[in-house]
Amino acid sequence: MHYLGVDVGSVSTNIVLLDEEMDVVEKIYLRTKGSPIKAVQDGFKILKANYNDMKIGGVGTTGSGRHIASTLIGADAVKNEITAHAVAALEIDKDVKTIIEIGGQDSKIIILRNGVVSDFGMNTVCAAGTGSFIDRQAERLEIPIEEFGDYALESNTTVRIAGRCAVFAESDMIHKQQLGYNKSDIIRGLCDALVRNYLNNVGKGKEVLPKIFFQGGVAANKGIKKAFENALGYEVFVPEHYNVMGSIGAAIIGRESAEKAGETNFKGFDLAESNFISTSFECNDCTNKCEVVKINENNNDIGCFGDRCGKWSHKIAI
């Protein structure tokens, strides 16, 4: 038996396949590109080609597009990213007390005590320090994103960069370039600034204790990891599958839900070939006036989401 986890974010859509021991058999990383339905279908085309005969015992979804993914796939569980990341980290190490998670467009800190989430925080307004901002700076400096962290580690002198917001950080980097600082020192300064910004905003008021996991796509950046270790005074661990931890957590939660129910809702890999159309309408039955999204698969309405009361989302069986 195998278990499927799908994490649909604004930047990337990650799909993992786990075996009975919760080891990763397959992981697929796709750019969402504003089309979560297409991203999920593209991932399922890969799965169908390689694992069509595989028995799936449970499915979970997470991420900002978790509800639409659940409707398409027939998920057994739909969970927020905080829970999914915590479950995945605890599956690897029960002693984890802090999770630093930085993805494409958001950042989170998750505080764990005695194996449960006791507190969390997320970035609110500015995208400084997230993957998309670092991608932009790497492109502007004409450095491959895979080498960005290595540049920071080559520096012996940090340059003070204003990392409070993305606009200030970029303009300050340009100013420092004009003063003649080399790229390595500027990048190290940027890494230090982004970590300073993260701890002062996302992590404000949180008690950061070891063992610390660093998850999300930005965890690949060695410069940011080193900057966190310097700022916190603790070793920061990057798990092997750091960039798909949300989908791993979703798969584990999906397995638990399916086992409790005695069966899975999973529809199979054929959805890769289906024709999906999403429409929306405003429900005027109460003052909430929810925008309800309806998904149609091959001329059949298969599910709704977006209503606060559950009137529509429970009307059509998923």
Side-chain angles (χ1 to χ4, degrees), residues 43-160:
F44 269 56
K45 284 176 185 174
I46 298 171
L47 293 173
K48 186 179 180 182
N50 298 311
Y51 306 101
N52 200 32
D53 297 330
M54 185 170 281
K55 180 72 173 174
I56 302 298
V59 184
T61 63
T62 188
S64 57
R66 58 186 179 274
H67 294 293
I68 194 169
S70 170
T71 305
L72 301 181
I73 298 166
D76 301 297
V78 184
K79 286 292 179 183
N80 60 64
E81 299 112 297
I82 301 293
T83 303
H85 276 276
V87 166
L90 290 168
E91 178 68 22
I92 296 170
D93 193 329
K94 302 294 184 193
D95 293 329
V96 176
K97 290 188 172 62
T98 307
I99 298 171
I100 296 167
E101 198 278 331
I102 306 180
Q105 286 192 330
D106 61 19
S107 306
K108 309 175 195 68
I109 185 167
I110 305 169
I111 305 299
L112 300 165
R113 297 294 182 264
N114 300 315
V116 297
V117 176
S118 65
D119 196 6
F120 69 91
M122 296 184 71
N123 67 331
T124 52
V125 179
C126 187
T130 62
S132 56
F133 175 72
I134 295 174
D135 273 348
R136 172 174 164 73
Q137 299 313 314
E139 184 179 354
R140 195 178 62 77
L141 294 170
E142 298 182 335
I143 295 172
I145 187 62
E146 297 82 7
E147 300 173 14
F148 202 74
D150 294 328
Y151 270 78
L153 298 184
E154 291 172 2
S155 169
N156 294 315
T157 306
T158 186
V159 175
R160 183 82 180 183

Side-chain angles (χ1 to χ4, degrees), residues 24 33 42 66 71 100 103 116 146 170 188 193 238 249 276 286:
V24 175
K33 296 179 179 176
D42 287 346
R66 58 186 179 274
T71 305
I100 296 167
V116 297
E146 297 82 7
E170 182 168 315
R188 179 180 170 181
V238 177
F276 290 103
C286 75

Side-chain angles (χ1 to χ4, degrees), residues 213-248:
F213 267 25
F214 186 12
Q215 302 176 179
V218 175
N221 189 313
K222 298 172 187 174
I224 297 285
K225 175 181 179 293
K226 184 65 177 175
F228 268 120
E229 290 177 333
N230 290 339
L232 296 170
Y234 299 122
E235 185 175 2
V236 172
F237 296 89
V238 177
E240 179 182 1
H241 303 293
Y242 59 89
N243 56 344
V244 292
M245 292 292 277
S247 42
I248 291 174

Side-chain angles (χ1 to χ4, degrees), residues 264-297:
T264 179
N265 297 319
F266 182 54
K267 296 178 179 177
F269 294 124
D270 287 339
L271 71 87
E273 311 300 333
S274 292
N275 179 34
F276 290 103
I277 297 174
S278 60
T279 56
S280 66
F281 62 91
E282 185 177 277
C283 177
N284 292 309
D285 289 355
C286 75
T287 55
N288 285 328
K289 295 186 179 297
C290 298
E291 182 182 8
V292 182
V293 178
K294 183 165 66 177
I295 305 294
N296 181 286
E297 179 183 9

